[in-house]
Structure formats: structure tokens, C-alpha cells
Amino acid sequence: MRHFLTLGDFTKEEILEMIALAQKIKAQTKQRKFVPYMEHQTLGMIFEKSSTRTRVSFETGIYQLGGVGLFLSSNDIQLGRGEPMKDTARVISRMVDMVMIRTFEQSKLEEFAKYSKVPVINGLTDSYHPVQLMTDYLTMIEFGKEKNPVVAYVGDGNNMTHSWLMLAAKLGFELRVATPKGYECDAAIVADALAFAKESGAKITFGNDPVEAVKGCDVVTTDTWVSMGQEDEKEIRLKAFEGYIVDEKLMSYAKEDAIFLHCLPAYRGYEVSEETFEKHENVIFTEAENRLHAQKGIMVWLDAKRSEELEIRN
Ligand code: CP
Ligand code: NVA
């Protein structure tokens, strides 16, 4: 049985298999053909942080696959009152067929997965947001940016950046990261990504100059400067990130036909200007929609892996 905790756990071939499934199911969905790949299955969705896209896309996705989603906010379940993660895992995974969790530390997600009888999907942790990166790659393909792309990430060295590192390292493309001093990526995650990059031939560079990162690139991306859980640091962060806004001036250094990706929610006037955001709104909202399709690919792939295992066991 496989879990989906970080892209670092997958080979390039596996990532591309999930993307191919997502493309196939997206095409079927567009024809209003809802194939019940996961009929009668239940997806438990545990949220310890807020969400718009992750909740709606997973809930809609599992329903369109013939199953049902259970929205479990930590405020409403006993987890929020101190029931241990490992007990929550042992209870819920005896009743549902798959679990998605949005939480804080990656170790909490790993703890759940360790005790779970069913596949567990990372719906965002402080360290990674892998379902978003599968979505972003699907969107890059749809906008013709998957052939040896150069991607520039400008902003905070956070969960999104870490997942970009993993995607680039596994697929073997060029990623340039520009963060302010003191807001760089996690050193251990960088070390893992660079080890994968050695195998794949990915070129990953780090710096503090957004212009240097963006020069001649095909894809520009950023994320909020204040992630969930960092609200107390807001003032100090907004100061530290001055000069890191993605605006038309910065975009002018990218290729003429470069696309701009944003996982959303976007804070205009901070990490992105209103003008740049609206200029790229078609890509950005296709990216948002693709959460639905990419995650169906992931769920169906994980389910198939588990079924294979069950067949071998029987
Ligand atoms: N991009 C993303 O994960 O959005 P939500 O926080 O709304 O789920
Ligand atoms: N880095 C952001 C991503 C939101 C989807 C956060 O963790 O809040």
C-alpha cells in the first residue's frame, strides 16, 4: 500500500502515471462521463487548517468517482480535544477507504500514515503541498510548458517551495528559487532534493535576487508571504519580503510567453500585483480547477496500488 505524503516518495514514472490518469479522467469528466473508479468508497478528509480549494476539490472529486467524502474538521472531531493522531488513524482507517489530511508538522501526517490501514494523502503540511504541485504540473502541460521548462519561484521558502524542489528534482527540470535572506528553504529538504536532482539531471539554484531567478524563464510562481500558522509573524514578514512582489516589471524579465502560476489564495499588492494576477487569470483559475482533476488521478492510482496488493495477498 502506498501513501501520498511527499513527491520525494515517488519515481518520475509514477508521477507521470498519476498525471496521465488525471488527464484521462479530466477528459471523461469534461464529456460529463463519470466513471465510478471508486464506487462506494469513502474518503475521510481531516482538516486542522482552513481550506477552500482542497476541501471542495477532494469532496467533489471522490463523489464524481462514485464515492463520498467526509469533511472532518479538527474542531469537530476528538482530535481537536487531544485524542492522539495514532488512535484517530486506527479508528478512522477501519471505516473509510482513503484519508486526506491537512495539518501542521509533516511528522503528524507520517504518524497517521504509520497507523493507517488505508492510503493517506497529504492535503498540505508546514513542509509540503504535493497535491498542489501535481496540479501545477498538469497545468504546465496544458499550457505547453512541460518540455525542459525553466521555473522561477519568488518568495517564501515554504511548503510550496519545498514541493517545487521535489517536483523539479524528480522530473529533472530547472528550478530557480529566490527568497529573502532568513526565509530560505529547509536545509534538510534542500539536501534531499539535490540528491534526487543528481539522479534526474535537474538544475536547482538558490539566491536572493528575483530578477536573476526570472530572467528568460518559462514559468513564474510565488505563494503567500504569510502561511497558515504564521499569522503572528505577519508584520515582520511583510517587511522582509519587500521587493519580492511579482509584478509586470519582474515579469518583463521572463520569456514573452511565460505563464504565472499561483496556488491561491493570492494577496494582491503583496506577493503579486493586481495587474499581473488579472493578466494571468486564465492560467491561475485553470490551475485551481485542476486540483479536482489531478487529485482524482492520485486517488485512483493509490486505490489501484492497494487493490493490487489485496489481490496478491488473497
Ligand atoms: N491552494 C490551496 O490549497 O487552497 P486551499 O487552502 O483553499 O485549500
Ligand atoms: N503556503 C501556504 C499555502 C496555502 C495553500 C500556506 O501554507 O498557508
Side-chain angles (χ1 to χ4, degrees):
M1 187 180 71
R2 301 288 295 275
H3 299 296
F4 191 86
L5 308 185
T6 163
L7 294 177
D9 293 340
F10 296 92
T11 63
K12 176 177 180 172
E13 289 67 34
E14 288 172 335
I15 291 170
L16 297 180
E17 268 172 33
M18 286 183 256
I19 293 283
L21 261 176
Q23 288 173 310
K24 178 174 146 190
I25 301 171
K26 179 172 181 176
Q28 291 168 337
T29 305
K30 289 289 173 192
Q31 294 166 5
R32 310 302 290 164
K33 202 171 129 198
F34 299 104
V35 183
Y37 294 99
M38 292 178 70
E39 196 173 17
H40 302 312
Q41 297 205 32
T42 303
L43 174 73
M45 308 186 303
I46 301 174
F47 284 90
E48 293 207 275
K49 293 176 175 172
S50 308
S51 168
T52 299
R53 282 143 287 269
T54 305
R55 178 183 175 177
V56 176
S57 55
F58 268 111
E59 202 164 325
T60 303
I62 187 70
Y63 178 72
Q64 291 182 347
L65 292 172
V68 67
L70 286 185
F71 173 67
L72 305 165
S73 157
S74 58
N75 296 329
D76 302 329
I77 60 173
Q78 300 287 7
L79 181 67
R81 296 184 70 247
E83 183 166 20
M85 204 50 136
K86 59 183 179 181
D87 292 358
T88 307
R90 283 180 284 191
V91 171
I92 292 180
S93 72
R94 278 172 181 254
M95 299 176 185
V96 306
D97 303 283
M98 203 170 277
V99 175
M100 183 243 90
I101 310 181
R102 168 166 286 197
T103 186
F104 292 87
E105 297 88 358
Q106 184 78 5
S107 57
K108 284 174 91 176
L109 175 77
E110 286 165 359
E111 167 98 339
F112 191 103
K114 185 174 161 196
Y115 287 92
S116 174
K117 283 181 172 298
V118 298
V120 176
I121 300 173
N122 182 351
L124 181 145
T125 62
D126 293 344
S127 302
Y128 296 110
H129 198 3
V131 290
Q132 181 70 54
L133 264 293
M134 294 293 282
T135 302
D136 291 3
Y137 190 62
L138 175 61
T139 311
M140 282 168 61
I141 295 172
E142 289 180 355
F143 286 89
K145 301 294 178 199
E146 85 278 23
K147 294 250 151 43
N148 301 320
V150 179
V151 178
Y153 179 98
V154 177
D156 191 18
N158 63 12
N159 44 11
M160 277 300 296
T161 333
H162 294 154
S163 284
W164 271 108
L165 292 178
M166 288 299 163
L167 185 77
K170 288 288 176 169
L171 298 190
F173 62 78
E174 181 171 350
L175 175 67
R176 304 174 190 160
V177 179
T179 55
K181 289 207 169 77
Y183 294 91
E184 290 92 356
C185 293
D186 179 271
I189 293 175
V190 169
D192 284 350
L194 292 179
F196 294 137
K198 243 188 184 161
E199 286 171 34
S200 70
K203 188 175 170 205
I204 302 180
T205 54
F206 301 90
N208 308 110
D209 184 348
V211 171
E212 276 308 309
V214 166
K215 262 185 196 161
C217 75
D218 303 285
V219 178
V220 180
T221 186
T222 184
D223 183 22
T224 181
W225 295 341
V226 187
S227 284
M228 289 181 276
Q230 298 173 335
E231 290 77 9
D232 292 350
E233 301 169 32
K234 188 172 174 182
E235 293 271 295
I236 179 166
R237 283 182 159 267
L238 297 190
K239 271 214 161 67
F241 285 87
E242 266 171 28
Y244 280 77
I245 188 170
V246 178
D247 57 12
E248 286 309 280
K249 191 163 168 240
L250 186 62
M251 288 300 291
S252 72
Y253 292 96
K255 279 194 188 142
E256 183 97 26
D257 64 349
I259 60 168
F260 172 73
L261 293 172
H262 196 307
C263 66
L264 304 177
Y267 299 90
R268 271 81 143 193
Y270 295 100
E271 77 272 10
V272 61
S273 71
E274 171 77 17
E275 194 185 3
T276 297
F277 186 91
E278 290 304 333
K279 199 169 154 191
H280 296 270
E281 64 88 28
N282 180 38
V283 176
I284 295 168
F285 290 104
T286 301
E287 179 188 3
E289 179 194 325
N290 278 340
R291 289 293 300 274
L292 174 66
H293 310 297
Q295 290 160 191
K296 281 189 199 167
I298 295 166
M299 287 192 282
V300 171
W301 190 90
L302 290 172
D303 185 48
K305 289 287 159 199
R306 188 194 26 194
S307 307
E308 271 171 27
E309 195 192 68
L310 289 177
E311 267 169 37
I312 292 165
R313 259 199 259 153
N314 286 336

